Amino acid sequence: MQILIVDDDPLAGELVAALLEEQGHDCRLAENGIEALERLAADDGIELVISDLNMPLVSGLDLLAELRESGQTLPFVLLTGDDPADILAQTPGLTAALMKDAALEAVLPVLVAKMAGAARP
Amino acid sequence: MASASSETFKARKARLRAAFLDQLPQRLREARVHLTRLPDQAALVALELAFHTIKGSSGSFALTTITELAREADDVLKGALAAGAPITAGPLAALTAVFERFDALDLGAADRADPGERYGFESEPPPGPVPGQMTGQFAGPAHDHASRRREQRVYLCDDDSDLAQELCAQLACFGYCVTALTTLDALRAAVIAHPPAAVIMDVMFPEGEHAGPATIAALALATGHAIPSMYISGRDDFQARLQAVKAGGSAYCTKPVKTTELVEFLDALTHREAPIPFHVLVVDDEPAVAQLHAMILEEAGMITAVATDPAEVLSLLKGFNADLVLMDIHMPACSGPELARVLRQMSGYLSLPIIYLSSETDRGRQFEALEVGADGFLTKPVEPARLVTEVSLRAERMRTLHSLMVRDGLTGLFNHNTIMQLLELAVANARRDGQPMCFAMIDVDRFKRVNDTYGHPAGDQVLMALSRGLRLRLRESDVVGRYGGEEFAVVLPGVDEVQARDILDQLRRSFAAVHFYAGNATFNCTFSAGVAAFPRWSCADSLIEAADQALYAAKRGGRDRVEIAATLDPAVDFNRDCPAEDQDGH
């Protein structure tokens, strides 16, 4: 599965990439929302976007809104430092929201594996 | 989990984590710049983003301590942003406190391969002690206690150069190496060239009546770092004190300055011992559950041992020095309450905190389990944060109580009973390792006269000064106790009688140079000491008796001196009361 990872902290982004590449996924990195949009425009093989929530200029939610407005229906997973329950409840179009903590390492690969399974019935 | 491919991720994660820890000081420095620009709204937004990012990334790397600190800052900043008004003093103080706690983590230390392991940030337990990683109580080689103090850079700035020199000399007696500076310009240059661990600062200078605090405040602003400082001044008015507080001063002493007081504050300013992690024994017959709980506690920086069979508990406890035992209730062969009862019937474990961790939800049965002398009950599954809090609270209280039991109230040294036990232990160790060791008795000369002439507070000052001097200037491995009254006892492992005499003689000279103040009077004190060496004296009792005799000889010889028991009349057999096995050693 081709995945675009968006995080303004390159270290955090690369950690997520390391985690998913371990599962055999193909990961690209973007450091902000603008770069993410450019990447998505340039590469239509991307099947999933995993984005940090809090980023300067364009937040993860802004990015999601931008994508949905332009008719993009790619699954979109939000990563956040806070409890994601509220955001998940209030944001239609969000596939999942996960908290950045020690459990992320266990949860994210399972989630992505499920999505990859769903993508190829 | 143990497949070869998962190693790749682990290695990558470890590298990224190291890089994150590496970059963190720089990120914090940048955040600090934003902090100085507050209440600017853009700075507030930038600061919030900075901490939010640190929180998220450290969370992903399972660096819990950092995540929690960043979360605290982030919450404060979110609140300030939501309020829509310029940030107020309260939140600002909270932020400064977070920065200080980050500083206390000592992330910048470049010589440490992996700061994460040092502080137990990592969720996986470290493989074992890393050479050179421990400071404080566990530090192996000798001399670190005193040398650490010598390495602490302290500046003293006073335009009265005689007084400055005099105070520096006094502080040197307590192991502090203090640089005297007599102008504000010299201080500025010194602080910028080499940031100090503390500054002792006069308030009034030719430049102005509050020029001292003003200079410190300006330096803090310029360097972006709070400068640990305390003030000494001839003035005792509110304005002078207020200016000192506003400049971040943590203490204010009026002249003439009491050196002991100064040392007390300097200790607090410069002395950051790495806390000794709590030791917790986890008992659960289900290995996976035991490991899980052990992992949660280790992640919070504690050290754990795991017993899956209650029968192992006694032998595990022996070498482990546990602060607390966490145990399951339902175990085959020996239940939790039975194990608790076994421990409570052993005098060494009477006060050891025991917490049950069980899926037992029946109130009555919980109560029954507690009745045998356990301290608390947690129901499985337990939230990690709750487990960590419950365990640390109880372990901390246990430590406080324990230190009250073994320490002398006035001096903070070990009390008589404890020092005797420690002496026995040191003798046993010396015998086992075939190493020398010494025991010394120290007695303040003409102490009664000090009390009678200058009053008891002055006498207490002398005892505190001597005990602090002993504690700071002796090695970490040396044990110091208050034997009683004005008598002190020191156990010095690994040194022979000549080395011990030299160490004590050095202490004697610096103690004699300390000035004490009582009202307007100034006086000095001396001490005499007697040293006895193992294996010449082969058990604790004979060492005490021999050291006491040597002390007597020092007193008779004119006081203010150190005598070795070896040079005394060999006809006196102090070993006569030693058990026979003790005498095989020599």
Side-chain angles (χ1 to χ4, degrees):
Chain A
M1 200 176 195
Q2 272 199 32
I3 303 171
L4 178 65
I5 296 160
V6 194
D7 200 312
D8 58 322
D9 184 346
L11 290 177
E14 209 188 314
L15 178 72
V16 174
L19 187 59
L20 296 173
E21 277 168 10
E22 187 64 21
Q23 312 290 312
H25 299 292
D26 183 6
C27 297
R28 318 280 149 98
L29 289 171
E31 280 190 27
N32 57 57
I34 310 289
E35 198 187 322
L37 290 171
E38 283 168 0
R39 281 248 172 203
L40 283 165
D43 186 349
D44 56 7
I46 291 169
E47 298 161 86
L48 166 67
V49 179
I50 298 178
S51 172
D52 184 27
L53 169 62
N54 225 359
M55 295 182 293
L57 304 178
V58 180
S59 78
L61 284 179
D62 295 338
L63 176 63
L64 174 65
E66 184 67 33
L67 287 176
R68 295 296 181 249
E69 242 167 65
S70 64
Q72 268 277 22
T73 53
L74 278 179
F76 193 101
V77 174
L78 202 60
L79 303 183
T80 161
D82 299 305
D83 189 343
D86 287 350
I87 289 178
L88 196 55
Q90 290 161 13
T91 317
L94 195 56
T95 316
L98 298 177
M99 186 152 165
K100 284 183 164 185
D101 60 14
L104 187 69
E105 217 176 288
V107 179
L108 188 62
V110 176
L111 179 76
V112 174
K114 270 190 188 165
M115 292 168 73
R120 293 186 204 95
Chain B
M1 279 303 278
S3 74
S5 58
S6 81
E7 282 305 310
T8 334
F9 168 64
K10 266 194 173 173
R12 231 173 129 183
K13 180 185 158 196
R15 180 173 54 76
L16 290 168
R17 198 182 105 260
F20 174 80
L21 283 170
D22 222 36
Q23 290 178 4
L24 190 55
Q26 179 57 30
R27 292 186 190 206
L28 289 169
R29 272 195 291 278
E30 286 165 14
R32 228 183 248 282
V33 174
H34 295 313
L35 184 72
T36 58
R37 284 173 41 222
L38 290 179
D40 180 75
Q41 194 64 17
L44 188 62
V45 172
L47 201 54
E48 196 273 336
L49 183 63
F51 275 112
H52 192 90
T53 305
I54 293 174
K55 177 176 78 174
S57 302
S58 60
S60 306
F61 290 118
L63 299 166
T64 344
T65 315
I66 294 171
T67 314
E68 283 315 309
L69 274 178
R71 180 185 310 285
E72 241 175 80
D74 192 38
D75 288 348
V76 169
L77 289 160
K78 275 207 184 93
L81 280 172
I87 192 162
T88 52
L92 207 53
L95 283 178
T96 315
V98 169
F99 271 107
E100 273 169 20
R101 278 156 62 202
F102 265 116
D103 284 345
L105 296 178
D106 212 6
L107 299 156
D111 55 341
R112 280 168 204 140
D114 189 347
E117 277 185 1
R118 251 175 75 78
Y119 293 99
F121 296 144
E122 175 59 75
S123 50
E124 290 153 37
V130 174
Q133 78 166 163
M134 295 303 263
T135 55
Q137 300 290 91
F138 289 139
H143 298 116
D144 10 53
H145 211 130
S147 67
R148 211 166 48 239
R149 247 146 218 88
R150 275 194 288 280
E151 282 158 17
Q152 302 268 23
R153 197 184 295 279
V154 177
Y155 298 136
L156 187 149
C157 187
D158 196 312
D159 53 337
D160 177 346
S161 72
D162 287 347
L163 177 74
Q165 293 299 342
E166 170 69 23
L167 281 175
C168 289
Q170 292 270 308
L171 290 170
C173 300
F174 290 92
Y176 278 106
C177 179
V178 183
T179 312
L181 302 160
T182 50
T183 66
L184 293 173
D185 284 338
L187 176 78
R188 278 190 207 102
V191 168
I192 286 165
H194 302 286
V199 175
I200 303 167
M201 192 73 194
D202 191 11
V203 174
M204 206 178 355
F205 282 86
E207 285 90 335
E209 61 171 347
H210 300 132
T215 304
I216 293 289
L219 274 169
L221 214 59
T223 58
H225 291 283
I227 295 169
S229 57
M230 54 176 297
Y231 290 86
I232 50 174
S233 174
R235 295 176 44 180
D236 196 13
D237 57 301
F238 182 74
Q239 270 308 321
R241 283 180 175 271
L242 176 64
Q243 293 308 320
V245 166
K246 281 194 171 182
S250 58
Y252 191 102
C253 300
T254 50
K255 294 177 185 172
V257 180
K258 287 195 185 84
T259 316
T260 43
E261 217 177 307
L262 217 51
V263 168
E264 189 100 36
F265 289 123
L266 268 186
D267 280 354
L269 274 180
T270 60
H271 186 197
R272 280 184 186 157
E273 283 216 356
I276 308 166
F278 292 128
H279 287 56
V280 180
L281 176 66
V282 181
V283 189
D284 201 309
D285 59 321
E286 187 58 61
V289 175
Q291 288 299 344
L292 172 71
H293 293 142
M295 201 194 77
I296 292 170
L297 296 175
E298 298 240 348
E299 193 184 341
M302 301 183 203
I303 292 173
T304 60
V306 169
T308 48
D309 177 359
E312 304 166 352
V313 166
L314 291 185
S315 58
L316 271 172
L317 275 176
K318 235 171 224 158
F320 186 60
N321 199 14
D323 289 297
L324 184 140
V325 178
L326 191 65
M327 62 168 79
D328 191 15
I329 285 197
H330 301 291
M331 293 181 288
C334 169
S335 74
E338 280 164 349
L339 178 57
R341 207 173 283 148
V342 168
L343 291 177
R344 290 294 182 245
Q345 285 177 6
M346 300 173 69
S347 66
Y349 303 129
L350 251 177
S351 56
L352 181 63
I354 297 172
I355 299 183
Y356 295 119
L357 188 53
S358 168
S359 42
E360 179 63 72
T361 48
D362 183 281
R363 284 269 166 200
R365 276 198 291 272
Q366 285 189 359
F367 185 73
E368 276 168 32
L370 288 172
E371 265 187 328
V372 298
D375 301 84
F377 202 103
L378 291 171
T379 347
K380 279 189 218 169
V382 66
E383 280 169 65
R386 171 97 193 277
L387 178 63
V388 169
T389 317
E390 293 275 347
V391 166
S392 11
L393 277 177
R394 287 193 169 80
E396 180 67 56
R397 200 168 55 201
M398 165 68 185
R399 283 213 180 152
T400 313
L401 283 174
H402 187 72
S403 78
L404 286 177
M405 285 188 304
V406 302
R407 301 235 172 227
D408 171 67
L410 176 68
T411 60
L413 298 181
F414 290 118
N415 60 25
H416 184 100
N417 286 339
T418 311
I419 190 97
M420 289 305 101
Q421 285 173 23
L422 292 170
L423 173 62
E424 302 264 6
L425 196 70
V427 171
N429 284 341
R431 182 175 299 121
R432 187 197 58 213
D433 302 338
Q435 290 287 321
M437 65 137 302
C438 285
F439 177 72
M441 299 274 279
I442 295 176
D443 190 88
V444 180
D445 295 326
R446 304 188 197 278
F447 185 69
K448 192 174 174 314
R449 211 154 71 182
V450 171
N451 273 336
D452 292 349
T453 317
Y454 305 104
H456 283 275
D460 285 352
Q461 209 193 118
V462 171
L463 295 181
M464 282 191 275
L466 178 55
S467 58
R468 179 164 291 103
L470 291 171
R471 220 168 54 200
L472 298 189
R473 305 203 31 128
L474 289 170
R475 304 163 307 162
E476 198 84 41
S477 53
D478 299 332
V479 180
V480 189
R482 188 172 178 204
Y483 199 73
E486 66 273 25
E487 230 176 351
F488 295 81
V490 187
V491 179
L492 301 121
V495 295
D496 63 29
E497 54 209 18
V498 176
Q499 289 168 314
R501 186 200 52 207
D502 291 348
I503 291 171
L504 289 169
D505 213 46
Q506 216 181 331
L507 274 169
R508 180 188 61 77
R509 279 196 300 272
S510 37
F511 180 66
V514 179
H515 296 317
F516 296 101
Y517 298 90
N520 291 324
T522 312
F523 64 96
N524 295 70
C525 264
T526 57
F527 69 72
S528 305
V531 181
F534 175 89
R536 189 187 300 274
W537 282 278
S538 58
C539 69
D541 288 342
S542 67
L543 279 164
I544 294 168
E545 205 170 335
D548 204 34
Q549 290 293 333
L551 172 61
Y552 232 76
K555 293 272 184 188
R556 273 200 310 273
R559 300 187 176 84
D560 192 16
R561 66 194 61 215
V562 182
E563 291 289 348
I564 297 177
T567 55
L568 297 178
D569 180 7
V572 185
D573 180 16
F574 291 126
N575 286 337
R576 63 187 181 272
D577 296 329
C578 289
E581 46 168 5
D582 287 353
Q583 296 183 25
D584 300 341
H586 56 189

